[in-house]
Amino acid sequence: MQAADSTDRAAENRMTAIHLAIAFVALFIGVSTGVLQALEHGGVDLYPKVKPLVHSYYQGLTLHGVLNVLVFTTFFICGLFQFIAPRALGEPLASRRLGWATVAVMAVGLVLAAIPILTDAASVLFTFYPPMKAHWAFYVGLTLVVIGTWMVFANLVLTHRSWRTKNPDRGTPLPAFMCLVTLAMWTIASLGIATEMLVVVIPWALGLRAGVDPLLARTLFWLTGHPIVYFWVLAAYVSWYTLIPRQVGGRLFSEPMARGAFILFLVLSAPIGFHHQYTDPGIARGWKFVHGFLTFAVFFPSLLTFFNVVASIESGARARGGKGLFAWLLKVPWGDPSVVAQILAMGTFAFGGIGGLINASLSMNLLVHNTTWVPGHLHLTVGTAVTLTFMGISYWLVPHLRGRALWSRKLAVGQAWLWIVGMFVFSHSMHRLGLLGVPRRTAIGMAPYLKPEWGLDLKLVAIGGTVLFVSALSFFFNMLMTVVASREPAPAPVDLAVYAEGSSGQSGRLFDRWGIWVAASLILISIAYGPSLLRMWSTAPFDVVGLRVW
Ligand code: CU1
């Protein structure tokens, strides 16, 4: 068996480091405009002051959305998966050349998309709903980033294949299995946005098509736009399932259940996008109901995850001497910033999940649709469950890549708690304001319909947002100091190979039958989307001209 040698690992580490560095720069700019938006809601509009850099609230909001939820997450996940999967398989990354080509394609895409955003030629927010029309480079750039994720998937599939030839009878090691399932789900789901870009939006942005069809574009967008949330969340789950149990000194409660949950995500994540379009005309009520039902179904593997991971943490805490019904919680290693950040992220996700069920309810959605409730919800899910988990991962991964210990563990633990405090204030107020009817995606400070009863919560949005910004700054400061100033050697890395030993059972093999699960996913998508998309496509007049509303 030809295992990966240290030169392979050194090159892979460099690749991962570049992905992470780009992700952090994106996050930094994203949170910097984020705090401006929060302050604007609280009545402190700093946008006129930063005019040379950012022209308007809406350009800032586009930067915030695109950089945080599209760029930061995608680059972080691509770097993380190319680090985890080859190690779990004990193989070198199949093609280093493909790996570097991926970095190049994604970086070029990012630059192409960033230029029109920074020059205020693409202030269309991260959902870029037509007929709002951005410069073509914005769409082409984002498409290249998506293509980069497919290249990561291809590289990991090839890596898995060379592992398989040497291990014909074993189940795929759990961390690698989870990375591959996540990328398979994402690759299938991203066909929606790829079609939107290549067939509908880019020809229109280039002037090859006179008009666009907003409903068709939105439908294709949400075919990808909901599962992209699972692309982010599953990357966090990979860490919760495979690393946290070891970090707390325990073991995963049930490995077959973990694999089963991921397969359910592969099958159920995509055919549910209509829950973002309950108020859209032109989609039959019955199909909206089907998507609503399936959205509730995909809640189930998240429940399995919560149970499995919390049971694993409990086993670790009990192994460290924890006792009682809840007193074992005291034995969780609360001084380990990586553990603290991820456990707090997980706890927050429970609230995000409950809010998600409200969003997904056909009737209750009408109350919260297009209000600040929705970004309030998003900040619990992608803004905390995912982001704080990625920060927690960074607290061990960046020191490992750099070969130096984390600069300050205390600052890191404080940062995670500060994030939770800031997010609680911010998100709770956003949810409340949503129920009072405050619109999302809107510069509220200049709205003529501002109501006095919104006042306190709008102030709390500004306060919560500022606390979050301070927390983010301390994260970046710690990362920077780890890279440039830390002198102590990094502690031994988390042992990813351990699951390579434990997963040779039959259940591993059963879940490795990719063909069945991918086919099930494609069939379900065809059923849930086929009739509606066919009708939209055959009746789309493509006659809506582009608007520049900013
Ligand atoms: Cu969704």
Side-chain angles (χ1 to χ4, degrees), residues 26-343:
L27 185 66
F28 178 73
I29 302 172
V31 298
S32 303
T33 58
V35 71
L36 295 180
Q37 282 137 231
L39 288 170
E40 191 277 344
H41 274 45
V44 185
D45 188 3
L46 295 179
Y47 275 106
K49 299 216 165 50
V50 296
K51 197 125 198 167
L53 283 172
V54 186
H55 295 237
S56 69
Y57 179 89
Y58 296 97
Q59 190 190 3
L61 188 53
T62 303
L63 280 165
H64 179 65
V66 170
L67 292 177
N68 281 5
V69 307
L70 301 181
V71 176
F72 162 65
T73 51
T74 304
F75 276 80
F76 192 94
I77 293 168
C78 288
L80 180 69
F81 281 9
Q82 289 183 104
F83 179 90
I84 287 185
R87 274 174 179 72
L89 294 168
E91 289 283 320
L93 189 65
S95 169
R96 223 184 280 166
R97 194 174 291 175
L98 179 58
W100 286 116
T102 307
V103 173
V105 166
M106 291 179 69
V108 168
L110 176 57
V111 171
L112 260 185
I115 292 171
I117 302 178
L118 291 169
T119 53
D120 203 20
S123 296
V124 290
L125 314 187
F126 84 95
T127 43
F128 50 88
Y129 286 156
M132 280 197 295
K133 191 178 187 180
H135 190 277
W136 60 264
F138 171 78
Y139 306 114
V140 173
L142 287 187
T143 306
L144 285 175
V145 173
V146 172
I147 290 171
T149 62
W150 298 345
M151 293 164 78
V152 171
F153 182 44
N155 216 343
L156 294 188
V157 167
L158 292 173
T159 309
H160 180 262
R161 186 168 291 176
S162 66
W163 172 84
R164 173 59 78 208
T165 54
K166 294 165 202 157
N167 301 277
D169 301 319
R170 292 179 48 208
T172 304
L174 187 65
F177 173 84
M178 291 182 155
C179 293
L180 284 163
V181 171
T182 303
L183 284 167
M185 183 281 292
W186 164 248
T187 301
I188 295 170
S190 60
L191 295 176
I193 209 166
T195 311
E196 182 199 1
M197 291 294 203
L198 297 173
V199 180
V200 182
V201 171
I202 292 177
W204 166 66
L206 287 170
L208 303 173
R209 235 193 233 287
V212 72
D213 188 74
L215 178 63
L216 179 63
R218 284 160 71 96
T219 305
L220 289 169
F221 178 85
W222 286 117
L223 173 50
T224 303
H226 180 80
I228 198 174
V229 174
Y230 282 103
F231 180 44
W232 309 327
V233 168
L234 291 187
Y237 285 3
V238 172
S239 178
W240 297 1
Y241 271 120
T242 65
L243 293 168
I244 289 186
R246 301 202 54 72
Q247 288 173 316
V248 299
R251 50 181 289 280
L252 181 59
F253 176 76
S254 167
E255 197 178 310
M257 192 158 90
R259 289 179 194 263
F262 264 62
I263 292 298
L264 285 175
F265 282 118
L266 172 59
V267 176
L268 293 173
S269 289
I272 58 185
F274 285 171
H275 70 225
H276 293 259
Q277 297 180 276
Y278 284 157
T279 61
D280 280 18
I283 301 170
R285 196 99 176 133
W287 287 115
K288 289 177 181 171
F289 176 78
V290 169
H291 282 230
F293 178 81
L294 289 171
T295 308
F296 280 86
V298 84
F299 193 63
F300 179 64
S302 277
L303 283 180
L304 291 181
T305 299
F306 198 73
F307 175 76
N308 206 348
V309 175
V310 172
S312 310
I313 294 171
E314 184 181 340
S315 84
R318 289 197 187 280
R320 297 159 66 98
K323 300 242 176 333
L325 194 55
F326 293 111
W328 57 265
L329 274 167
L330 297 171
K331 292 288 180 184
V332 170
W334 293 107
D336 180 336
S338 180
V339 171
V340 172
Q342 295 187 77
I343 289 182

